[in-house]
Amino acid sequence: MGVLKRFEQRLEGLVNGTFAKVFKSEVQPVEIAGALQRECDNNATIWNRDRTVVPNDFVVELSSADFERLSPYATQLGEELAGMVGDYAKQQRYTFMGPVKVHLEKAEDLDTGLYRVRSRTLASSESQPHAAAARQQQPSYQQPHGANGGYPPQPAAPPPMPSAPPGVPRPGTGQAPVSRLPGTADPSGTTRRWIEINGTRHQISRPTMVLGRSTEADVRIDDPGVSRRHCEIRAGSPSMIADLGSTNGIVVDGQHTARATLRDGSRIVVGSTTIVYRQAEG
C-alpha cells in the first residue's frame, strides 16, 4: 500500500469528526501530502553511498481564505503531514538532520485554491526551544522567495552540502512553485498532461481521450480485459476519468469507481494494464 493511501486512511477518522467540514473546502490534504513528497524528492542531497538527506522543516503557504478555514486544525494536520513525510522518507531511504515539522502559513499573494510549499534542512540543535524562540523574534517568512526557500536567517547553519553539478540548482534555492488545488481554473492554460503505459508516453492534447481495445480508440490497449471503448480521460482543472460502460470497470488509486478525479501520479488499472496519469506546469 502506498504512503499517500495510508495517509488518507489515517485521516478517515478525522474526516468523519473534527475535519469533516474543513475537508469539503478547496484544500485537499492529500494534494498537500503529495507536494511534500515531491519537495523531498526535488531537494534530496546525496551525502555518501548510504545517506541521502532531505528537508525536514516545511511551510505550506495558503491563501487567506484557505488558511482561515484550516488554521484551527493546523496542529493536528501538521502532525499528520509530518508523519506522512516520515513514512515516505523511510520508504525512500532518506534521512533527516532533525525532527520533521510541517507548518501552515498565510500568503496574501495567493488566490483561493492555490498553495506553495517551501522547505529547509534544519539540524537537530536548531530545533531546540531556545532556537525556536530566536526565530519567533524575527519576521516570519516575509520573503516570498529566496535562499532556503524564503526562510529567515537561522542562528546556526546545518553541515555544508556537497556542491551540485553545473546546471543543477542547490536544494532550498530559487523560487518555490505555486501549485493549483483540484477544482480551480488554470488561467495560464499551460498545464501539460499525458499518460504512461508500459513506459510509453501518450500526450493528452485534446479535451477528451478515449482508451480501449478498439483501433478507433485514441489510445489502443492490447489487453483482453479491456473493452473496445473502456474509459475516457477528460482534461481540465481537475482532470477526470470516466468509465464508458466497460465490462471490467476501472480502478483509480486502488478504488473501483465509475468516475474519479485525477492528480499527478494517479494510477489507473484497466484489465491487467496499469496507466499512470501525469501533469506538469509549463
Side-chain angles (χ1 to χ4, degrees):
M1 183 184 298
V3 172
L4 284 181
K5 188 61 182 176
R6 292 200 299 271
F7 171 73
E8 287 182 297
Q9 289 183 347
R10 285 204 304 269
L11 286 178
E12 283 183 357
L14 298 175
V15 171
N16 292 332
T18 306
F19 292 158
K21 294 181 180 179
V22 178
F23 285 180
K24 293 178 182 178
S25 70
E26 289 83 353
V27 174
Q28 296 297 322
V30 70
E31 296 295 327
I32 297 175
L36 294 176
Q37 286 189 0
R38 292 190 294 274
E39 189 74 6
C40 288
D41 294 337
N42 294 338
N43 293 287
T45 301
I46 300 175
W47 282 42
N48 54 48
R49 181 178 179 181
D50 301 315
R51 192 178 191 192
T52 299
V53 175
V54 294
N56 61 300
D57 200 74
F58 301 85
V59 164
V60 179
E61 292 184 335
L62 301 167
S63 69
S64 296
D66 289 325
F67 177 77
E68 294 301 327
R69 189 178 293 112
L70 283 174
S71 57
Y73 316 97
T75 299
Q76 290 172 281
L77 183 56
E79 290 174 353
E80 291 294 334
L81 289 167
M84 184 283 305
V85 172
D87 291 344
Y88 183 67
K90 183 177 181 180
Q91 174 183 291
Q92 301 296 98
R93 297 185 178 180
Y94 292 151
T95 57
F96 302 111
M97 296 296 295
V100 179
K101 300 290 184 183
V102 179
H103 319 273
L104 302 185
E105 290 281 340
K106 179 166 62 175
E108 300 291 348
D109 63 320
L110 294 180
D111 294 329
T112 301
L114 297 181
Y115 66 93
R116 180 166 52 218
V117 174
R118 294 184 286 113
S119 65
R120 60 179 172 179
T121 299
L122 193 62
S124 296
S125 60
E126 296 179 68
S127 301
Q128 300 304 315
H130 71 276
R135 287 198 301 276
Q136 291 174 359
Q137 295 174 1
Q138 304 180 46
S140 177
Y141 313 119
Q142 291 187 352
Q143 300 178 12
H145 305 298
N148 292 325
Y151 273 43
Q154 297 304 309
M161 298 288 189
S163 297
V168 177
R170 286 285 299 273
T173 62
Q175 294 186 342
V178 174
S179 300
R180 187 168 299 276
L181 293 162
T184 59
D186 177 10
S188 67
T190 58
T191 301
R192 294 182 295 110
R193 302 176 178 87
W194 68 94
I195 57 174
E196 297 172 357
I197 305 176
N198 297 326
T200 300
R201 177 180 293 193
H202 302 271
Q203 295 291 340
I204 303 175
S205 56
R206 295 188 294 178
T208 60
M209 172 187 279
V210 175
L211 288 70
R213 192 160 42 87
S214 170
T215 55
E216 297 178 359
D218 296 315
V219 176
R220 184 173 183 272
I221 302 175
D222 188 13
D223 182 331
V226 173
S227 299
R228 292 176 59 80
R229 287 173 53 88
H230 198 103
C231 58
E232 178 181 69
I233 293 177
R234 301 166 186 171
S237 298
S239 292
M240 305 285 294
I241 186 168
D243 185 14
L244 295 179
S246 66
T247 301
N248 297 316
I250 59 176
V251 177
V252 180
D253 293 329
Q255 298 293 322
H256 285 274
T257 183
R259 177 176 293 137
T261 299
L262 298 176
R263 58 176 180 264
D264 182 44
S266 286
R267 301 179 72 84
I268 306 157
V269 178
V270 294
S272 59
T273 301
T274 298
I275 303 164
V276 180
Y277 172 81
R278 295 291 187 186
Q279 67 180 42
E281 300 296 326

